[in-house]
């Protein structure tokens, strides 16, 4: 990492962007404040080694240990982890985050232990839901990205599994899926509103915004593209009522984007809200339009056009927010979708030499356009902030 920085500083100095004294000052600062990745790695290896040793020792004598001893040992160990975590809370750094993570994982181990001793059955999502409930206060105190992102991903995974496995006379399959779909949208809205109206820890807000938006835009756009591509089915129209809840959550997220804090540029707030609404419209329209009214090619063209439009909106939002990697990713997805249109239209030619030549030429042309206009477009978009 520091070697790459040294090369960049040398290039910037030769280009006249910074002076030699500034280059030396930057290098000295980064060297002094560099993250001790070796310490992080050694700490992680040490924690995993100790945990593996304890598990191995207990597993070797598991059948000989009375149940009350198992439970007593677990609660004493969990209490010790809790005391350690509380003592580390006023501090900041790797030991604080490691103590909170181990304390949270201890709850999951306890759930499994109780289920094993008392032979409790049930779906895995119930255990995960209980763990999420127990660790919610813990994750709100964590500052590290690992725990926050892992907790949010577990929440989304639990909701997805619940929508598939849970059975109740009053909850149809479609209603369960509808309820599960509102969760990432609601998380996105909460993340946006927390920037202005109430406070959430920074790491937790970033996690729910990252995975909330990713779930909405990726899952919604891909599913919508499939609906357009297949032409839909007349049976889809009977599921329209189940879109009401996700749309309420979508409007909540869009409103949250528009009402974000004053530090967020107005253009970014507007583009993000428009992107969310566009994704919802793109997913919903196939439920309204009867499939008999459109040909297969028309469906594909509309689906591809909507996909590209949402990708371009995501690129614009990334540029306005100065997220260059996200901009590159969104642009790459748009480029791939444009290339897929070629395969869909001229699929019979792609197996021939002429088709391969044309395909390669199209890829090179798109790469050339991206290289030529990426910098100016990013510069222009950042000026619109």
């Amino acid at each position: 990492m520091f070697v790459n920085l040294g090369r960049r500083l040398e290039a910037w100095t030769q280009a006249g962007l910074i002076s030699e004294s500034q280059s030396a000052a930057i290098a000295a600062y980064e060297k002094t404040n560099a993250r001790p990745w070796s310490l992080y790695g050694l700490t992680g290896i040490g924690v995993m080694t100790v945990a593996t040793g304890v598990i191995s020792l207990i597993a070797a004598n598991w059948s000989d240990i009375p149940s009350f001893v198992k439970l007593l040992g677990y609660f004493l160990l969990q209490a010790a982890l809790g005391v350690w975590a509380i003592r580390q809370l006023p501090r900041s750094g790797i030991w604080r985050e490691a103590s909170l993570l181990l304390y949270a994982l201890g709850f999951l181990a306890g759930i499994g232990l109780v289920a094993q001793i008392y032979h409790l059955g049930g779906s895995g999502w119930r255990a995960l839901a209980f763990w999420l409930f127990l660790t919610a206060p813990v994750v709100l105190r964590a500052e590290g990205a690992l725990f926050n992102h892992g907790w949010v991903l577990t929440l989304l995974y639990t909701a997805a599994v619940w929508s598939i496995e849970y059975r109740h006379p009053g909850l149809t399959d479609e209603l369960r899926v509808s309820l599960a779909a509102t969760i990432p949208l609601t998380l996105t809205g909460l993340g946006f509103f927390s920037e202005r109206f109430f406070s959430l820890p920074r790491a937790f807000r970033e996690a729910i915004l990252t995975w909330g938006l990713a779930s909405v835009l990726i899952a919604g756009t891909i599913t919508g593209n499939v609906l357009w591509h297949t032409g839909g089915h007349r049976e889809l129209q009977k599921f329209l009522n189940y879109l009401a809840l996700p749309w309420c959550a979508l409007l909540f997220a869009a409103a949250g984007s528009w009402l974000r804090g004053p530090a967020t540029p107005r253009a970014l707030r507007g583009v993000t809200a428009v992107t969310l609404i566009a994704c919802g419209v793109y997913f919903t329209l196939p439920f309204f339009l009867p499939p008999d009214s459109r040909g297969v090619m028309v469906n594909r063209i509309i689906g591809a056009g909507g996909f590209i439009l949402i990708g371009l909106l995501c690129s614009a939002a990334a540029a306005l927010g100065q997220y260059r990697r996200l901009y590159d990713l969104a642009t790459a997805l748009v480029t791939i979708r444009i290339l897929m249109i070629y395969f869909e239209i001229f699929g019979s030619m792609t197996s021939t030499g002429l088709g391969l030549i044309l395909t390669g030429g199209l890829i090179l042309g798109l790469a050339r356009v991206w290289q030529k206009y990426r910098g100016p477009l990013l510069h222009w978009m950042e000026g619109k902030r």
Side-chain angles (χ1 to χ4, degrees), residues 15-312:
L17 299 176
I18 58 176
S19 64
E20 292 186 1
S21 60
Q22 290 174 327
S23 175
I26 293 172
Y29 175 82
E30 291 295 332
K31 187 174 182 179
T32 304
N33 295 275
R35 293 184 178 182
W37 294 111
S38 57
L39 175 61
Y40 280 64
L42 289 174
T43 303
I45 293 172
V47 170
M48 293 301 297
T49 303
V50 171
T52 304
V54 172
I55 293 173
S56 300
L57 181 63
I58 295 175
N61 304 279
W62 187 254
S63 59
D64 300 327
I65 302 175
S67 296
F68 79 92
V69 175
K70 297 175 185 178
L71 291 173
L72 180 62
Y74 163 73
F75 283 114
L76 289 176
L77 177 60
Q78 186 68 0
L81 289 173
V83 172
W84 182 37
I86 292 174
R87 291 173 63 89
Q88 296 295 324
L89 280 179
R91 307 173 186 177
S92 181
I94 184 173
W95 295 114
R96 181 183 188 277
E97 300 307 309
S99 66
L100 291 174
L101 180 59
L102 284 175
Y103 182 58
L105 292 177
F107 282 116
L108 190 60
I111 293 171
L113 176 64
V114 172
Q116 187 270 333
I117 290 175
Y118 293 102
H119 306 287
L120 301 178
S123 303
W125 66 265
R126 298 178 184 272
L128 291 176
F130 188 43
W131 179 80
L132 289 168
F133 171 75
L134 291 175
T135 56
V138 184
V139 74
L140 291 176
R141 300 300 301 272
E143 298 174 351
L146 177 62
F147 188 13
N148 281 277
H149 286 267
W151 193 92
V152 174
L153 281 173
T154 303
L155 173 62
L156 296 176
Y157 173 78
T158 304
V161 175
W162 171 82
S163 67
I164 296 172
E165 297 184 354
Y166 185 67
R167 294 292 181 271
H168 189 277
L171 289 176
T172 62
D173 295 344
E174 295 78 16
L175 182 56
R176 291 199 307 274
V177 173
S178 176
L179 289 171
T182 64
I183 292 179
L185 289 162
T186 303
L187 289 178
T188 301
L190 288 174
F192 286 145
F193 277 109
S194 68
E195 296 183 12
R196 183 169 186 174
F197 296 101
F198 57 92
S199 177
L200 281 178
R202 180 188 58 81
F204 185 69
R205 183 178 68 248
E206 291 179 355
I208 62 176
L209 280 175
T210 298
W211 295 109
L213 284 171
S215 301
V216 172
L217 296 175
I218 295 176
T221 307
I222 292 177
T223 307
N225 189 76
V226 171
L227 292 175
W228 281 106
H229 187 81
T230 58
H233 302 281
R234 194 174 298 277
E235 292 78 10
L236 285 177
Q237 296 182 8
K238 67 182 182 182
F239 301 135
L240 279 173
N241 293 336
Y242 296 105
L243 297 179
L245 284 176
W247 259 100
C248 289
L250 178 64
L251 294 175
F252 173 72
S257 173
W258 181 250
L259 297 175
R260 293 170 73 178
T264 303
R266 180 183 295 271
L268 176 57
R269 287 183 276 161
V271 170
T272 305
V274 169
T275 303
L276 289 170
I277 298 297
C279 187
V281 172
Y282 178 67
F283 178 87
T284 305
L285 274 181
F287 289 82
F288 282 95
L289 301 178
D292 299 342
S293 64
R294 309 181 308 277
V296 175
M297 188 56 64
V298 174
N299 291 334
R300 293 181 177 182
I301 292 174
I302 296 175
F307 190 100
I308 292 170
L309 174 62
I310 295 173
L312 292 175

